Amino acid sequence: MNISVINIIASNPSDILYGSNSTVDTPQWLLNLSLELSILELIVHPVSILIAIFNFILVINSALLHTNLKWILLSQSVAVYTSELSRFIVMVVIVPTGNIFARPPFASALGSVYVYANTFRIFISYVLLAERTLATVMFRNYEQYDKVYLNIGWIIVVSCLSYVVQITQDSSAHDFNNLTLPSIIVIFALQCAAILLLLQNYIQNKTRYNGSKIFTLMQRFQLSENIRTLKQLGPTFVLYTLTVVLIYGIKFLFIFGWVVNDAPTKIAFMFQTLLLAGVNIGIELTVITHHPMLKRKAIKWILHLVKLLRTNRVADEQNLPSEKPKNLFGGELILKNQKQDEYFKMLTNTWH
């Protein structure tokens, strides 16, 4: 793979996206590092995609999850799958060219999809928290609030909000306009408020569950489900906060002119993408590991898959042709014939 010289624009971000003749030389060690990070991306993104697919299938086959919660978790897996797949396609096309920094037009379009999917995923965390808040307030009869139109409604709203935020971010991880800074401030404020609300909901559900007040079996189940899900949301919100910092925190550096869109910054964005992939994997795994029902089902599926693979392996080994011992001349060492069978039969009768 040829990575001899890659020219980077230091002033205009769009020049890097589509290529330009105004160039500065990039050190060879930086090119080598970019190539290594690209190869690492080609490994990490498929892992995240497979986990998102597994999580989607796992959630959709879980009958005990509340319908509202199921819609949210399924949408989260779709968002993770979309963001990781869009980035993976870009890297698959660009890496073989040896020019990691150049961006053809299709890469810019997929980059917009990547930003949109990650923004959608961030808003899903607020929907998930709102759903758990509703379950906390209406725990006595929350099982009745599983209307499909409510879930379709929040998906439409979140999709529109994600598009609006994407416009304020210029559909890019490094471009910005006059609306970028206000939108970042709003997102950070929402994240802080969400964390406080999460803690308040957990304490309230825990207090009710451990209190002396008598509840019906269904109500106690709903309280325990709230506690389990809020425990799951704890590490999830830590990862979501990291997502906000990674995606929008770095924009501050561009807005105030502390960094320019040069080669080292592009390398930093590759680290950012890898970290976001790790966050996506962490969020999807947290859904499984912090929910007892999903965890048991996942372990059951994995053990069944391992057993199936072992069974197929043993079956393949049994189907292999058996090799008979050979004599010095290449013939069979033991030849079966009728006299030989009679001889062994006589020996057997003699010993008996």
Side-chain angles (χ1 to χ4, degrees):
M1 187 177 295
N2 182 17
I3 55 170
S4 56
V5 177
I6 299 175
N7 296 315
I8 306 300
I9 306 305
S11 57
N12 190 352
S14 62
D15 288 340
I16 293 182
L17 290 175
Y18 303 101
S20 173
N21 294 324
S22 301
T23 61
V24 292
D25 291 334
T26 304
Q28 186 64 41
W29 69 269
L30 209 54
L31 301 179
N32 294 335
L33 178 60
S34 68
L35 179 61
E36 293 170 359
L37 292 176
S38 301
I39 295 174
L40 188 58
E41 281 198 53
L42 291 176
I43 298 173
V44 173
H45 293 309
V47 173
S48 183
I49 290 171
L50 291 175
I51 293 176
I53 294 173
F54 177 81
N55 211 10
F56 184 91
I57 298 173
L58 182 67
V59 171
I60 205 170
N61 284 280
S62 298
L64 294 178
L65 287 177
H66 194 279
T67 303
N68 297 340
L69 181 60
K70 182 179 289 189
W71 275 71
I72 295 172
L73 296 179
L74 291 175
S75 301
Q76 179 177 265
S77 295
V78 171
V80 170
Y81 172 84
T82 304
S83 64
E84 295 298 314
L85 182 62
S86 60
R87 178 65 179 178
F88 179 67
I89 293 174
V90 171
M91 299 310 296
V92 166
V93 175
I94 291 178
V95 169
T97 67
N99 191 344
I100 305 302
F101 300 107
R103 291 292 185 270
F106 87 92
S108 179
L110 287 177
S112 298
V113 173
Y114 179 78
V115 174
Y116 178 85
N118 277 296
T119 305
F120 187 88
R121 181 170 60 80
I122 291 174
F123 278 111
I124 283 179
S125 67
Y126 304 142
V127 176
L128 183 56
L129 182 58
E131 188 269 342
R132 287 296 92 189
T133 302
L134 185 63
T136 299
V137 175
M138 310 182 71
F139 72 97
R140 297 181 185 276
N141 56 352
Y142 182 64
E143 68 278 359
Q144 301 175 6
Y145 293 88
D146 56 350
K147 310 300 181 182
V148 175
Y149 64 85
L150 291 176
N151 292 287
I152 296 177
W154 74 254
I155 290 176
I156 294 174
V157 171
V158 168
S159 299
C160 295
L161 288 175
S162 300
Y163 181 71
V164 171
V165 171
Q166 188 179 21
I167 292 176
T168 66
Q169 306 296 320
D170 268 2
S171 300
S172 170
H174 43 70
D175 296 336
F176 57 90
N177 54 39
N178 294 332
L179 297 175
T180 301
L181 184 58
S183 68
I184 291 175
I185 294 174
V186 170
I187 290 174
F188 271 95
L190 284 174
Q191 197 67 22
C192 294
I195 293 174
L196 293 176
L197 184 59
L198 172 68
L199 293 174
Q200 193 269 339
N201 284 342
Y202 179 78
I203 294 172
Q204 186 174 353
N205 280 281
K206 194 77 172 177
T207 302
R208 284 175 177 171
Y209 188 81
N210 295 329
S212 57
K213 193 172 183 179
I214 299 176
F215 297 106
T216 65
L217 183 61
M218 182 60 69
Q219 291 171 353
R220 289 192 66 82
F221 172 78
Q222 185 59 56
L223 287 172
S224 64
E225 180 71 4
N226 291 346
I227 294 171
R228 282 195 297 266
T229 308
L230 289 168
K231 280 184 178 180
Q232 167 194 321
L233 278 178
T236 300
F237 258 86
V238 172
L239 294 172
Y240 272 119
T241 303
L242 181 58
T243 302
V244 172
V245 172
L246 287 173
I247 294 179
Y248 301 108
I250 197 170
K251 287 267 189 164
F252 282 107
L253 304 179
F254 281 100
I255 292 173
F256 293 105
W258 293 335
V259 296
V260 293
N261 204 10
D262 55 5
T265 304
K266 283 294 183 181
I267 296 294
F269 277 124
M270 297 181 75
F271 276 111
Q272 177 198 47
T273 305
L274 284 170
L275 287 173
L276 283 174
V279 167
N280 285 334
I281 292 174
I283 289 174
E284 291 295 281
L285 290 179
T286 300
V287 172
I288 300 174
T289 58
H290 284 66
H291 198 288
M293 290 180 289
L294 294 178
K295 184 177 180 179
R296 284 195 296 269
K297 185 179 285 289
I299 293 174
K300 181 180 178 181
W301 283 11
I302 293 173
L303 292 177
H304 179 72
L305 179 61
V306 171
K307 182 179 179 181
L308 185 64
L309 293 175
R310 287 181 176 177
T311 303
N312 291 336
R313 182 178 178 183
V314 172
D316 292 339
E317 291 178 352
Q318 290 177 347
N319 292 331
L320 292 175
S322 58
E323 295 186 3
K324 298 180 180 180
K326 306 291 183 180
N327 57 27
L328 294 176
F329 303 100
E332 292 186 7
L333 185 61
I334 300 177
L335 297 175
K336 282 191 174 183
N337 52 51
Q338 186 176 0
K339 290 184 178 181
Q340 186 182 51
D341 292 338
E342 292 177 356
Y343 175 74
F344 281 111
K345 187 175 181 181
M346 290 173 58
L347 285 177
T348 303
N349 293 332
T350 302
W351 282 103
H352 284 290

